[in-house]
Amino acid sequence: MDQQFINILSEYPAGKKEGLLPILQEIQKERGFLTEDVLADVSLHLNLPINKIYGVAAFYDQFHFHPHGRNHFRICNGTACYLFGSSTFLKELEKQLKVKAGSTSRDGKFSLEIVTCLGSCDQAPVILVNETYYTRVTPGDLNKIIHSLKDKEE
Ligand code: FES
């Protein structure tokens, strides 16, 4: 356990399960993803079974169990975005980025995640790249986004 992790845990009283979500959120924010070792340490600190902690973390989209790429794409496949062609965009992203949905490219440059709603259904289709929202995305927009990020990575 490193000092940063100890500091996070020390902010929450041992044995108090109310600390679970904020602890996981802080770890996710600091490290970008959760590991089995981290969940085991949280389990010891809060005196909660690790399978319960894993279940909570797996329930929420905000938690991840593997590192994202430097450019993380979240493509919305909710009803509104689906009706505006998000599945076609997903196939295009997989092809151009050479990464399957739910994974990270071998070189660590790109990762791709399908989400159920990004909260902007009236501006579908919506794609979130790192912290930037792209709304009413067209195939041309998608190509520009991909090429600009690929250029940045080279
Ligand atoms: S369905 Fe895509 S933003 Fe809501």
Side-chain angles (χ1 to χ4, degrees), residues 76-82 115-122 124-126:
C76 178
N77 205 28
T79 304
C81 291
Y82 180 81
V115 295
T116 50
C117 186
L118 287 168
S120 301
C121 312
D122 59 330
V126 183

Side-chain angles (χ1 to χ4, degrees), residues 69-74 93 96-97 107-111 127-132 134 141-154:
R70 288 191 291 282
N71 302 287
H72 183 63
F73 283 74
R74 289 183 176 94
L93 282 167
Q96 290 206 36
L97 302 178
D107 57 12
K109 290 179 181 174
F110 300 103
S111 52
I127 295 174
L128 177 63
V129 184
N130 300 326
E131 306 300 321
T132 305
Y134 295 93
D141 295 336
L142 186 66
N143 268 324
K144 279 186 200 157
I145 296 165
I146 291 169
H147 288 293
S148 111
L149 291 172
K150 278 185 168 178
D151 289 348
K152 203 175 79 181
E153 283 293 330
E154 289 175 359

Side-chain angles (χ1 to χ4, degrees), residues 13 48 52 59 62 64 68 83 99 106 117 130 132 140-141:
L48 281 171
K52 182 175 172 78
F59 179 78
Q62 64 184 294
H64 308 287
H68 284 166
L83 291 174
V99 62
R106 284 189 189 166
C117 186
N130 300 326
T132 305
D141 295 336

